[in-house]
Amino acid sequence: MSSAPLQPILRPHPPSSISSFSSPRRTRPSPLARPCRLAAAREMPWPHVLTVAGSDSGGGAGIQADVKACAALGAYCSSVITAVTAQNTAGVQGVHLVPEEFIRKQLNSVLSDMSVDVVKTGMLPSVGIVQILCESLRKFPVKALVVDPVMVSTSGDSLSDPSTLKNYRDELFAMADIVTPNVKEASKLLGGVSLHTVSDMRDAAASIYKFGPRYVLVKGGDMPDSSEAIDVFYDGKEFIELRGHRIKTRNTHGTGCTLASSIAAELAKGSTMLHAVRVAKNFVESALDHSKDLTIGNGPQGPFDHLFRLKFPPYNIGSQQRFNPDSLFLYAVTDSRMNKKWGHSIEDAVKAAIEGGATIVQLREKDVESREFLEAAKACVEICKSSGVPLLINDRVDIALACNADGVHVGQSDISARKVRELLGPGKIIGVSCKTPAQAEQAWNDGADYIGCGGVFPTTTKANNPTLGFEGLKTVCLASKLPVVAIGGINATNAGSVMELGIPNLKGVAVVSALFDREHVMAETMNLRSILTNALCSV
Ligand SMILES: Cc1ncc(COP(=O)(O)OP(=O)(O)O)c(N)n1
Ligand SMILES: Cc1ncsc1CCOP(=O)(O)O
Ligand SMILES: [Mg+2]
C-alpha cells in the first residue's frame, strides 16, 4: 500500500452554512482540508458576538442576558450599550439613552480592533442609533447580523420610539441574516395585524421576509392556550415549525434577548442558521426548566439562570468546533472483541484507523469494564484531538463526560438523544441510530447532529439487526433533515455502491469489521477511503 497523501474530501459544505453569509472577514480552515495523518497544531478559535443593546439593571434581560447566554454557549461577547434602563421584576421605571455619538464611538472601538463574527441587536431606541449601526456595519462587515426587534419589554413598557419602526424595516432588516420577533412585535412591524394561530405566524413570517432578512423566526411563546411553544422559521421557501415544551414559570424575563444572542453565539461558532435556532431554542427551554422555581425579586416576572449547566459538574462545553457533516465520510467504529482477536489495543486500533484516513471514530466497546474503558477513552481522546478527528462514545454518556469526548452515539433502546443533549450540552456531537422516517424526525426534534442508518447489508457484528437494503436507506435519508451515515455489512466490495447512490444527505459509511476484524487496520482503512473517494468522484 502506497503512503501517498490522502485525497481531501470533495463534497462541498452544505450551501446554507454560515460561510455563505455576507463578507466573511476571517475563514477558518476545515480540519478535513489537510491530510488526516498529519498531526496539525489545533487553532483555538474564540467565536465572538457583539451585542448592541440596552442595559437591564435587574440583570435578567438586555446586555446582561446576552453576555450570560454567549458565555454559556462558549462565545466571547463584547457590548455596545444603547441605553441604560432602571428595571426590576416589576417593570421598567426609567430609560436613559446613551448619546448617539457615544454609541458610534463604542461601535468603532470594538469593531475596529476585535474580530467580531456576529452582531446581535436588541434595544435600538432611536432612528439615529439604527442609522449609526447600519453605517458601522457597512464600514466593518461581519459574518452575520441577528436582529431581535425589541420594541416593548415583557412587562409591557415601550423601549423604542415608534418612529424607529420604518427605519428598522427599511434599513436594518435589509442587512439582517435573521429577524426574531415575537407575535406582538411581528404584529407591530406589520401595522397591527392580529396573530392568533400558527397559520397567522406563517403569514407574518412571509411578510417580514419581504423586508429583506435572509431568515425570519416568529416566536410563539406568548401565544395563549397551548402546552407547546411553537416558533415558525422561514427561509423564503419553506416554513418549519419548531416545537418546544412550554415551561410553566414566572421566570421568563429576558427569553427573547437570550434566544437571539444564543443564535448569534451558535452562528459565531460556525453553525448553519437552522441548527443555530434549534440549539438556541433548546438552550432557552432547558434554562427555563432548570430555573422554574428560583425566586429573585417580588414582581410578576423574574429572571432565569443562564449558567444552570455550571451546576452539573463535570459539564464541559467541549471543543467548541461545530459538527461538520463531512466528517461522517469514513466512520470507524471499534469493537473490543475484534481488537482482542488480533492482539490490538483500542489505542493502537484507533491510531491505525486515523493514520489510514478515518474521518470520525466511535468507541463501541461492549465487553470492557468501565474503568478500563475510561482509561482507553482518555488516551483515544488525545490521539483524536491531535489529528483533528472527532471521537464519539457508543451508548455511555458517563464515559463521554468523564473523558471529554466530542460526543455520543445512541440507539433506539439507549438513553434518548434529548436527554443526552441535556447532559452533554450544545457543543457536543450526538448521533442516533434510525431505521424509519419517524425515528429520523424524532432524532432531529431531540437535537441530534446526525443519524446512523442500517444495517444496509447483513452483518454478524450486531445481533438481531434487521437489514434495510438500499430501499430502506433511501427512504430514511429522504425523510431525514439530518446528515446520514450508512452502517451494517459495509466493506471494500460494496462501499462504493453505497456512495454511488448519490443521496445528498448521505455523507459516508460507518464500518466495524471491515476495518477492525483485520490484521492491518491502517491498510484496510486507506483502501476503503480511496474506494469511497473514487465513488464520490464518479457521482
Ligand atoms: C454510526 C452508528 N450507527 C448506528 C449504530 C448502532 O447503534 P445502536 O443501535 O445503539 O446499537 P449499538 O451500536 O449500541 O449496538 C452505531 N453504533 N453507530
Ligand atoms: C453497530 C451496528 N448498527 C447497525 S449495523 C451495526 C454493525 C456494523 O458492523 P459491521 O460494519 O461489521 O457490519
Ligand atoms: Mg446503542
Side-chain angles (χ1 to χ4, degrees):
M1 185 58 57
S2 103
S3 60
L6 298 161
Q7 298 283 329
I9 289 170
L10 301 174
R11 202 174 279 251
H13 285 216
S16 57
S17 128
I18 182 81
S19 56
S20 65
F21 285 135
S22 52
S23 316
R25 292 197 295 137
R26 285 182 303 157
T27 50
R28 298 196 175 97
S30 155
L32 300 174
R34 56 187 174 245
C36 297
R37 281 178 298 150
L38 298 181
R42 282 174 48 104
E43 61 173 7
M44 290 290 287
W46 201 349
H48 186 150
V49 174
L50 163 63
T51 170
V52 182
S55 160
D56 170 5
S57 57
I63 290 278
Q64 287 81 356
D66 297 342
V67 172
K68 286 185 279 187
C70 287
L73 291 169
Y76 182 79
C77 187
S78 52
S79 54
V80 164
I81 300 183
T82 56
V84 180
T85 67
Q87 202 172 160
N88 58 20
T89 58
V92 180
Q93 290 82 44
V95 176
H96 181 72
L97 299 196
V98 173
E100 289 177 2
E101 280 317 305
F102 200 75
I103 292 171
R104 190 193 297 279
K105 204 168 189 126
Q106 294 178 69
L107 282 165
N108 201 59
S109 293
V110 176
L111 291 168
S112 67
D113 175 48
M114 301 165 133
S115 283
V116 172
D117 292 304
V118 179
V119 168
K120 176 258 161 185
T121 70
M123 182 178 174
L124 301 175
S126 73
V127 172
I129 293 173
V130 176
Q131 282 167 347
I132 287 169
L133 174 64
C134 292
E135 282 166 28
S136 299
L137 289 172
R138 279 190 284 271
K139 191 167 164 197
F140 300 105
V142 292
K143 283 189 199 164
L145 172 64
V146 176
V147 174
D148 183 24
V150 174
M151 286 175 287
V152 182
S153 78
T154 29
S155 53
D157 301 280
S158 177
L159 296 175
S160 81
D161 181 335
S163 60
T164 54
L165 249 185
K166 185 169 157 32
N167 82 321
Y168 243 123
R169 284 184 311 218
D170 296 351
E171 271 209 81
L172 194 62
F173 283 13
M175 297 179 84
D177 288 289
I178 186 164
V179 178
T180 61
N182 59 31
V183 283
K184 280 187 203 137
E185 288 157 349
S187 160
K188 233 178 173 190
L189 287 165
L190 297 170
V193 292
S194 43
L195 305 177
H196 298 297
T197 63
V198 173
S199 166
D200 295 339
M201 288 166 67
R202 285 173 171 239
D203 293 344
S207 301
I208 293 168
Y209 181 82
K210 291 194 186 124
F211 296 133
R214 284 165 186 252
Y215 300 90
V216 179
L217 180 72
V218 177
K219 300 172 293 186
D222 292 340
M223 296 282 250
D225 307 331
S226 167
S227 62
E228 287 185 310
I230 303 171
D231 299 340
V232 172
F233 178 84
Y234 183 58
D235 62 3
K237 291 188 210 84
E238 198 188 351
F239 296 96
I240 296 177
E241 287 172 23
L242 300 166
R243 291 167 184 271
H245 299 289
R246 185 185 296 277
I247 311 293
K248 285 204 176 77
T249 175
R250 109 189 223 279
N251 298 330
T252 55
H253 181 53
T255 42
C257 310
T258 302
L259 186 90
S261 44
S262 303
I263 294 171
E266 285 305 306
L267 292 178
K269 285 154 67 178
S271 288
T272 60
M273 187 60 84
L274 181 55
H275 185 83
V277 169
R278 288 177 53 220
V279 169
K281 190 168 164 63
N282 277 346
F283 173 70
V284 171
E285 186 182 312
S286 298
L288 291 177
D289 196 29
H290 282 90
S291 310
K292 54 181 184 283
D293 300 322
L294 297 178
T295 39
I296 288 189
N298 297 303
Q301 205 184 25
F304 58 92
D305 183 2
H306 296 73
L307 302 177
F308 66 98
R309 287 194 174 114
L310 292 180
K311 294 179 182 148
F312 294 96
Y315 177 77
N316 192 320
I317 211 87
S319 68
Q320 311 201 347
Q321 295 207 346
R322 267 314 305 157
F323 171 59
N324 179 351
D326 289 335
S327 64
L328 297 173
F329 189 57
L330 177 45
Y331 192 148
V333 183
T334 69
D335 181 299
S336 46
R337 237 177 351 98
M338 295 175 193
N339 285 335
K340 270 197 192 107
K341 173 175 160 192
W342 291 101
H344 300 150
S345 65
I346 306 176
E347 293 92 317
D348 285 347
V350 166
K351 237 183 240 164
I354 291 175
E355 293 267 306
T359 53
I360 186 166
V361 173
Q362 178 189 137
L363 299 187
R364 181 175 178 271
E365 299 295 320
K366 300 283 190 188
D367 313 312
V368 177
E369 297 291 337
S370 295
R371 192 170 295 198
E372 189 190 337
F373 190 6
L374 178 57
E375 287 316 306
K378 281 183 190 161
C380 291
V381 163
E382 291 312 311
I383 294 164
C384 289
K385 208 190 251 177
S386 66
S387 308
V389 171
L391 178 85
L392 272 63
I393 306 290
N394 177 277
D395 294 353
R396 298 284 302 269
V397 181
D398 56 339
I399 300 282
L401 282 166
C403 71
N404 194 20
D406 294 296
V408 165
H409 186 96
V410 284
Q412 295 297 322
S413 44
D414 301 317
I415 302 179
S416 74
R418 179 171 278 262
K419 192 69 194 169
V420 179
R421 175 62 73 208
E422 198 181 315
L423 292 168
L424 294 189
K428 298 291 187 182
I429 303 168
I430 296 176
V432 183
S433 309
C434 298
K435 289 187 192 302
T436 65
Q439 290 171 355
E441 175 76 12
Q442 187 63 46
W444 187 78
N445 275 327
D446 284 349
D449 293 292
Y450 74 88
I451 64 169
C453 181
V456 179
F457 303 107
T459 178
T460 51
T461 305
K462 183 168 170 62
N464 307 319
N465 190 57
T467 302
L468 299 182
F470 281 168
E471 283 316 307
L473 175 65
K474 279 192 222 164
T475 305
V476 173
C477 287
L478 203 68
S480 174
K481 298 189 183 87
L482 293 170
V484 183
V485 63
I487 189 166
I490 297 173
N491 55 41
T493 312
N494 57 27
S497 63
V498 177
M499 292 318 287
E500 279 161 12
L501 290 172
I503 305 171
N505 60 341
L506 179 59
K507 297 293 182 183
V509 298
V511 180
V512 186
S513 53
L515 300 186
F516 295 108
D517 200 4
R518 299 284 190 278
E519 186 174 5
H520 300 293
V521 174
M522 178 175 124
E524 299 294 343
T525 315
M526 286 182 96
N527 184 37
L528 198 56
R529 174 137 174 176
S530 112
I531 289 167
L532 291 172
T533 305
N534 289 339
L536 197 57
C537 291
S538 73
V539 273

